Amino acid sequence: MSDQHFTTEQIAAACHELEGQPPEVILRWAVRAFYPKLTMATAFGPEGNCIIHMLAEIEPRVRIFNLETGYQFAETLELRERIKTRYGIEVEYVRAATTVPEYEAEHGGPLYVIRPDQCCLDRKILPLRKAVVGYEAWISAIRKDQTGERGKASLVQWDPKFDLVKINPLLDWTKKDVWAFITKHDVPYNPLHNEGYPSIGCWPCTAPVGEGEDERAGRWRGTGKKECGLHVVEHQSGSGI
Ligand code: SF4
């Protein structure tokens, strides 16, 4: 384990070594390279839950946290408890600087309606930045086929937004792969997935999707916004959060 960040050469070598390997192999590599300075943020999506299942066997002490914006669905919060019961892993809540009532009072109402980027910045990005101080790497559950931006990601990459190495063990998995794993291992998942919500974030910004729609079509529907900013690299997108 090193106190120094991985160099560009080390990241390229890791990508080469891990190409085509299953997620468990990538996670074992990440634990060897970075634990205990390895962390993971989860919104308890199906992909993240697969990774939690794998980490429970590989290294259950990896610190996993959830950005508790105060706007999450009750079903999502209940899922955290089910994961704790199943795996003994207590996902830590990382909260914004203010409660939802304080935040809405400060801005004269809910900001997600008029300035969702600012709301995501205050309630997700800034708390995340604080939560990862002292860590060297974080695990993400993104898949290449989810958005154009995610399609540009690598298995291991430098994340300039958070000054961390980012490891994406499920990058090459499809949605079908994720659900096959969930079924095979009886991994806990959010019951809202059975009610037309393939991708679940905060309740004000998540709508069910119709037959044939993109799986993230219900996120920030009608706003043009596709990401909260956690997985957007600034120099690639040209936009901030
Ligand atoms: S997803 Fe919506 S409610 Fe949640 S932080 Fe972003 S704008 Fe706010």
Side-chain angles (χ1 to χ4, degrees):
M1 209 160 326
S2 159
D3 282 326
Q4 295 178 345
H5 291 307
F6 259 32
T7 63
T8 308
E9 291 75 23
Q10 284 174 303
I11 287 174
C15 284
H16 183 69
E17 178 189 334
L18 297 171
E19 194 176 345
Q21 294 292 332
E24 292 90 338
V25 170
I26 298 170
L27 285 170
R28 279 200 189 91
W29 172 86
V31 167
R32 272 199 314 276
F34 299 108
Y35 180 80
K37 294 185 177 179
L38 175 67
T39 189
M40 173 182 169
T42 183
F44 303 107
E47 292 83 4
N49 297 345
C50 290
I51 294 180
I52 291 172
H53 179 96
M54 294 173 199
L55 282 175
E57 290 182 2
I58 296 168
E59 182 44 88
R61 293 172 299 175
V62 170
R63 179 211 183 198
I64 306 173
F65 63 91
N66 166 258
L67 297 167
E68 203 334 38
T69 60
Y71 290 117
Q72 293 191 105
F73 286 95
E75 287 86 346
T76 305
L77 304 181
E78 282 161 19
L79 180 53
R80 175 199 181 255
E81 304 311 313
R82 285 164 53 211
I83 284 173
K84 184 175 158 188
T85 304
R86 169 75 183 269
Y87 300 111
I89 291 176
E90 191 162 359
V91 175
E92 177 189 335
Y93 281 139
V94 166
R95 300 178 199 274
T98 53
T99 64
V100 164
E102 286 166 351
Y103 190 63
E104 294 189 356
E106 185 186 325
H107 293 284
L111 217 52
Y112 56 75
V113 178
I114 47 167
R115 285 162 61 204
D117 282 349
Q118 184 67 43
C119 185
C120 280
L121 176 69
D122 293 335
R123 307 205 70 79
K124 290 185 177 178
I125 309 295
L126 296 179
L128 175 60
R129 279 206 181 119
K130 273 194 195 165
V132 299
V133 170
Y135 285 84
E136 289 187 357
W138 70 308
I139 300 164
S140 129
I142 59 168
R143 299 188 343 249
K144 241 180 200 166
D145 62 357
Q146 284 172 316
T147 65
E149 190 67 34
R150 294 180 183 198
K152 299 175 200 163
S154 307
L155 289 175
V156 182
Q157 62 188 119
W158 178 247
D159 186 342
K161 189 183 285 274
F162 300 108
D163 207 19
L164 294 170
V165 174
K166 184 175 183 182
I167 298 130
N168 303 308
L170 300 188
L171 200 61
D172 295 328
W173 268 19
T174 62
K175 184 178 172 183
K176 204 172 157 193
D177 293 328
V178 172
W179 285 98
F181 187 91
I182 286 174
T183 304
K184 182 174 177 191
H185 299 284
D186 194 24
V187 175
Y189 67 89
N190 197 319
L192 291 171
H193 293 308
N194 296 335
E195 294 173 32
Y197 295 82
S199 175
I200 299 164
C202 297
W203 62 262
C205 304
T206 305
V209 307
E211 192 74 31
E213 273 193 303
D214 181 88
E215 66 183 277
R216 289 181 65 84
R219 304 291 295 278
W220 302 282
R221 188 187 280 284
T223 68
K225 182 172 163 68
K226 291 277 170 234
E227 296 267 8
C228 60
L230 264 60
H231 303 295
V232 180
V233 179
E234 285 163 21
H235 73 269
Q236 287 179 343
S237 67
S239 65
I241 303 302

Short mmCIF file of all heavy atoms in Angstrom, two decimals, residues 107-133:
data_model
loop_
_atom_site.label_atom_id
_atom_site.label_comp_id
_atom_site.label_asym_id
_atom_site.label_seq_id
_atom_site.Cartn_x
_atom_site.Cartn_y
_atom_site.Cartn_z
N HIS A 107 -33.46 28.56 1.07
CA HIS A 107 -33.62 28.90 -0.35
C HIS A 107 -35.05 29.27 -0.73
O HIS A 107 -35.38 29.39 -1.91
CB HIS A 107 -33.13 27.74 -1.22
CG HIS A 107 -31.66 27.52 -1.12
ND1 HIS A 107 -30.74 28.33 -1.73
CD2 HIS A 107 -30.94 26.60 -0.42
CE1 HIS A 107 -29.51 27.92 -1.44
NE2 HIS A 107 -29.61 26.87 -0.64
N GLY A 108 -35.91 29.40 0.25
CA GLY A 108 -37.29 29.78 -0.03
C GLY A 108 -38.08 28.69 -0.72
O GLY A 108 -39.04 28.97 -1.44
N GLY A 109 -37.68 27.44 -0.54
CA GLY A 109 -38.40 26.31 -1.14
C GLY A 109 -37.41 25.28 -1.64
O GLY A 109 -36.19 25.48 -1.52
N PRO A 110 -37.93 24.20 -2.20
CA PRO A 110 -37.03 23.15 -2.67
C PRO A 110 -36.24 23.57 -3.91
O PRO A 110 -36.83 24.01 -4.90
CB PRO A 110 -37.96 21.97 -2.98
CG PRO A 110 -39.33 22.54 -3.09
CD PRO A 110 -39.35 23.84 -2.36
N LEU A 111 -34.95 23.43 -3.84
CA LEU A 111 -34.08 23.87 -4.94
C LEU A 111 -34.09 22.89 -6.11
O LEU A 111 -33.75 23.25 -7.23
CB LEU A 111 -32.65 24.05 -4.40
CG LEU A 111 -31.84 25.21 -4.96
CD1 LEU A 111 -32.60 26.51 -4.86
CD2 LEU A 111 -30.51 25.32 -4.22
N TYR A 112 -34.51 21.63 -5.83
CA TYR A 112 -34.50 20.64 -6.92
C TYR A 112 -35.44 21.05 -8.04
O TYR A 112 -35.30 20.61 -9.17
CB TYR A 112 -34.83 19.23 -6.40
CG TYR A 112 -36.13 19.09 -5.65
CD1 TYR A 112 -37.36 19.09 -6.30
CD2 TYR A 112 -36.13 18.94 -4.27
CE1 TYR A 112 -38.55 18.95 -5.61
CE2 TYR A 112 -37.32 18.79 -3.56
CZ TYR A 112 -38.52 18.80 -4.24
OH TYR A 112 -39.70 18.66 -3.54
N VAL A 113 -36.40 21.91 -7.76
CA VAL A 113 -37.36 22.32 -8.79
C VAL A 113 -36.71 23.30 -9.77
O VAL A 113 -36.88 23.18 -10.98
CB VAL A 113 -38.59 23.01 -8.13
CG1 VAL A 113 -39.57 23.49 -9.19
CG2 VAL A 113 -39.26 22.08 -7.15
N ILE A 114 -35.97 24.25 -9.24
CA ILE A 114 -35.45 25.32 -10.11
C ILE A 114 -33.96 25.22 -10.40
O ILE A 114 -33.49 25.66 -11.44
CB ILE A 114 -35.77 26.72 -9.53
CG1 ILE A 114 -35.41 26.77 -8.04
CG2 ILE A 114 -37.22 27.09 -9.76
CD1 ILE A 114 -35.40 28.18 -7.47
N ARG A 115 -33.20 24.66 -9.44
CA ARG A 115 -31.75 24.56 -9.65
C ARG A 115 -31.25 23.20 -9.19
O ARG A 115 -30.53 23.09 -8.19
CB ARG A 115 -31.04 25.69 -8.89
CG ARG A 115 -31.20 27.05 -9.57
CD ARG A 115 -30.89 28.21 -8.64
NE ARG A 115 -29.53 28.19 -8.15
CZ ARG A 115 -29.15 28.78 -7.01
NH1 ARG A 115 -30.03 29.41 -6.26
NH2 ARG A 115 -27.90 28.73 -6.62
N PRO A 116 -31.62 22.13 -9.92
CA PRO A 116 -31.23 20.79 -9.46
C PRO A 116 -29.72 20.59 -9.41
O PRO A 116 -29.23 19.86 -8.55
CB PRO A 116 -31.89 19.84 -10.48
CG PRO A 116 -32.23 20.69 -11.66
CD PRO A 116 -32.46 22.07 -11.14
N ASP A 117 -28.96 21.25 -10.29
CA ASP A 117 -27.50 21.09 -10.24
C ASP A 117 -26.96 21.62 -8.91
O ASP A 117 -26.06 21.02 -8.32
CB ASP A 117 -26.82 21.84 -11.39
CG ASP A 117 -26.93 21.08 -12.71
OD1 ASP A 117 -27.33 19.90 -12.67
OD2 ASP A 117 -26.61 21.66 -13.75
N GLN A 118 -27.51 22.74 -8.45
CA GLN A 118 -27.05 23.30 -7.17
C GLN A 118 -27.45 22.36 -6.02
O GLN A 118 -26.67 22.13 -5.09
CB GLN A 118 -27.69 24.69 -6.96
CG GLN A 118 -27.21 25.39 -5.71
CD GLN A 118 -25.73 25.78 -5.79
OE1 GLN A 118 -25.29 26.26 -6.83
NE2 GLN A 118 -24.98 25.55 -4.72
N CYS A 119 -28.66 21.82 -6.11
CA CYS A 119 -29.15 20.91 -5.07
C CYS A 119 -28.25 19.67 -5.01
O CYS A 119 -27.83 19.25 -3.93
CB CYS A 119 -30.60 20.54 -5.37
SG CYS A 119 -31.40 19.55 -4.10
N CYS A 120 -27.92 19.09 -6.18
CA CYS A 120 -27.01 17.93 -6.21
C CYS A 120 -25.62 18.31 -5.68
O CYS A 120 -24.98 17.51 -5.00
CB CYS A 120 -26.88 17.37 -7.63
SG CYS A 120 -28.24 16.32 -8.15
N LEU A 121 -25.18 19.50 -5.99
CA LEU A 121 -23.87 19.94 -5.51
C LEU A 121 -23.87 20.00 -3.98
O LEU A 121 -23.00 19.45 -3.32
CB LEU A 121 -23.52 21.32 -6.09
CG LEU A 121 -22.23 21.95 -5.58
CD1 LEU A 121 -21.01 21.19 -6.08
CD2 LEU A 121 -22.12 23.41 -6.01
N ASP A 122 -24.88 20.64 -3.43
CA ASP A 122 -24.93 20.83 -1.98
C ASP A 122 -25.21 19.54 -1.22
O ASP A 122 -24.69 19.33 -0.13
CB ASP A 122 -26.03 21.85 -1.62
CG ASP A 122 -25.70 23.24 -2.13
OD1 ASP A 122 -24.51 23.55 -2.31
OD2 ASP A 122 -26.65 24.02 -2.35
N ARG A 123 -26.05 18.68 -1.79
CA ARG A 123 -26.52 17.52 -1.01
C ARG A 123 -25.82 16.22 -1.39
O ARG A 123 -25.98 15.22 -0.70
CB ARG A 123 -28.05 17.41 -1.11
CG ARG A 123 -28.73 18.73 -0.74
CD ARG A 123 -30.13 18.59 -0.24
NE ARG A 123 -30.25 17.98 1.07
CZ ARG A 123 -30.03 18.63 2.23
NH1 ARG A 123 -29.68 19.89 2.23
NH2 ARG A 123 -30.16 18.00 3.38
N LYS A 124 -25.06 16.26 -2.50
CA LYS A 124 -24.32 15.04 -2.88
C LYS A 124 -22.82 15.30 -3.05
O LYS A 124 -21.99 14.66 -2.40
CB LYS A 124 -24.86 14.46 -4.20
CG LYS A 124 -26.25 13.85 -4.10
CD LYS A 124 -26.63 13.21 -5.43
CE LYS A 124 -27.97 12.52 -5.36
NZ LYS A 124 -28.36 11.94 -6.65
N ILE A 125 -22.49 16.20 -3.94
CA ILE A 125 -21.08 16.35 -4.32
C ILE A 125 -20.22 16.88 -3.17
O ILE A 125 -19.16 16.32 -2.88
CB ILE A 125 -20.93 17.30 -5.53
CG1 ILE A 125 -21.85 16.87 -6.68
CG2 ILE A 125 -19.47 17.34 -6.00
CD1 ILE A 125 -21.56 15.55 -7.29
N LEU A 126 -20.68 17.94 -2.51
CA LEU A 126 -19.86 18.50 -1.43
C LEU A 126 -19.72 17.52 -0.26
O LEU A 126 -18.60 17.31 0.24
CB LEU A 126 -20.40 19.87 -0.98
CG LEU A 126 -20.35 20.96 -2.06
CD1 LEU A 126 -20.93 22.27 -1.54
CD2 LEU A 126 -18.93 21.19 -2.57
N PRO A 127 -20.80 16.88 0.17
CA PRO A 127 -20.64 15.86 1.22
C PRO A 127 -19.71 14.72 0.79
O PRO A 127 -18.92 14.22 1.57
CB PRO A 127 -22.07 15.35 1.46
CG PRO A 127 -22.96 16.45 0.99
CD PRO A 127 -22.22 17.12 -0.15
N LEU A 128 -19.79 14.32 -0.49
CA LEU A 128 -18.91 13.26 -0.98
C LEU A 128 -17.45 13.70 -0.91
O LEU A 128 -16.59 12.93 -0.47
CB LEU A 128 -19.29 12.87 -2.41
CG LEU A 128 -18.38 11.86 -3.11
CD1 LEU A 128 -18.32 10.54 -2.34
CD2 LEU A 128 -18.85 11.58 -4.52
N ARG A 129 -17.19 14.93 -1.32
CA ARG A 129 -15.81 15.43 -1.28
C ARG A 129 -15.23 15.33 0.12
O ARG A 129 -14.10 14.92 0.31
CB ARG A 129 -15.75 16.87 -1.76
CG ARG A 129 -15.76 16.98 -3.25
CD ARG A 129 -15.10 18.26 -3.76
NE ARG A 129 -15.20 18.27 -5.21
CZ ARG A 129 -15.83 19.19 -5.92
NH1 ARG A 129 -16.38 20.23 -5.32
NH2 ARG A 129 -15.89 19.10 -7.22
N LYS A 130 -16.04 15.70 1.10
CA LYS A 130 -15.58 15.64 2.49
C LYS A 130 -15.40 14.19 2.93
O LYS A 130 -14.45 13.85 3.63
CB LYS A 130 -16.64 16.27 3.42
CG LYS A 130 -16.50 17.75 3.57
CD LYS A 130 -17.36 18.22 4.75
CE LYS A 130 -17.53 19.71 4.71
NZ LYS A 130 -18.60 20.17 5.58
N ALA A 131 -16.30 13.33 2.49
CA ALA A 131 -16.30 11.94 2.95
C ALA A 131 -15.08 11.16 2.46
O ALA A 131 -14.68 10.18 3.09
CB ALA A 131 -17.58 11.23 2.51
N VAL A 132 -14.49 11.58 1.35
CA VAL A 132 -13.39 10.79 0.79
C VAL A 132 -12.00 11.34 1.14
O VAL A 132 -11.00 10.80 0.68
CB VAL A 132 -13.52 10.62 -0.74
CG1 VAL A 132 -14.82 9.89 -1.09
CG2 VAL A 132 -13.43 11.95 -1.47
N VAL A 133 -11.97 12.39 1.95
CA VAL A 133 -10.66 12.93 2.35
C VAL A 133 -9.89 11.83 3.10
O VAL A 133 -10.43 11.16 3.96
CB VAL A 133 -10.85 14.18 3.25
CG1 VAL A 133 -9.53 14.60 3.88
CG2 VAL A 133 -11.43 15.33 2.44
#
